[in-house]
Amino acid sequence: MTVYSFELRFTAPAGESVIDTLYESGWDDATVSLDPETGGPGIAAFDREAATAVEAIASAIVQGRTAGVEITGVSEDLVTLAEIADRAGRTFATADHWAAGRRGPGGFPAPKVQRPRVSLWSWAEVVTWLHENRLAEVSLMEVEVARVCEIADSLIRAHRLQRRLPVKDRELLRHAMA
């Protein structure tokens, strides 16, 4: 078994018993940040032993829902060039050259959020590019976790957004996406 590190964002009801309920539901491998007096948004940082990243993340989501919290997202996927440089163990200038195509093999992922000063990139796309091009010491496990986090986060957001639609419209979209 491998230990996978990731974070879940959630919303919990107020009450001192919330933390105990999360622990008893299986979140004994998480550090939970939440004000139990007020409830609301919280973050749980996991170091979970599992056979795969999917198994680790999916089990934490199910356990959280069982405990009565609403899972609102999975580890933040958007990173700046400075964060990319830091995670890759390279200088900011190197990451900037990769992004501009002045260094490396080319094909650096496009930013997900283009801004004049600080754009944001998908860490899952960047870590995959780094690994495939052997430009940083990133493990296959790190690539796997980033990919699964990106997908899980997208599915959670889509699930939450679709609740805004009438049931009939949800069914039409589900059918169209099948």
Side-chain angles (χ1 to χ4, degrees):
M1 293 275 199
T2 304
V3 176
Y4 295 94
S5 298
F6 59 94
E7 292 180 350
L8 293 183
R9 293 183 306 281
F10 64 93
T11 302
E16 292 294 328
S17 65
V18 173
I19 302 294
D20 291 337
T21 303
L22 288 169
Y23 183 85
E24 291 165 5
S25 76
W27 281 22
D28 55 335
D29 56 353
T31 301
V32 177
S33 297
L34 171 73
D35 182 349
E37 287 185 26
T38 61
I43 296 175
F46 289 85
D47 289 317
R48 177 153 292 197
E49 193 172 305
T52 66
V54 170
E55 183 182 304
I57 294 167
S59 65
I61 291 169
V62 168
Q63 291 166 345
R65 287 185 170 153
T66 300
V69 301
E70 180 182 6
I71 306 299
T72 59
V74 183
S75 297
E76 185 60 50
D77 181 56
L78 298 177
V79 292
T80 65
L81 279 179
E83 290 169 310
I84 292 168
D86 184 54
R87 291 182 186 190
R90 299 293 191 266
T91 65
F92 177 83
T94 298
D96 184 53
H97 287 309
W98 288 335
R102 294 186 300 265
R103 192 179 288 170
F108 192 82
K112 290 291 184 186
V113 179
Q114 185 85 34
R115 294 182 179 158
R117 292 184 190 253
V118 181
S119 294
L120 300 172
W121 281 261
S122 161
W123 177 243
E125 291 177 7
V126 171
V127 76
T128 300
W129 182 85
L130 290 169
H131 182 74
E132 288 173 352
N133 292 291
R134 298 185 176 142
L135 292 171
E137 292 200 23
V138 292
S139 67
L140 279 174
M141 181 179 68
E142 189 175 358
V143 173
E144 179 189 8
V145 169
R147 286 178 179 167
V148 173
C149 285
E150 177 185 39
I151 293 165
D153 190 63
S154 295
L155 290 170
I156 289 166
R157 279 184 311 183
H159 181 75
R160 291 180 74 215
L161 286 171
Q162 75 176 341
R163 287 190 234 155
R164 297 179 183 171
L165 294 173
V167 174
K168 178 183 168 191
D169 291 345
R170 284 186 228 167
E171 291 304 318
L172 285 171
L173 282 176
R174 278 191 201 135
H175 180 71
M177 302 308 286

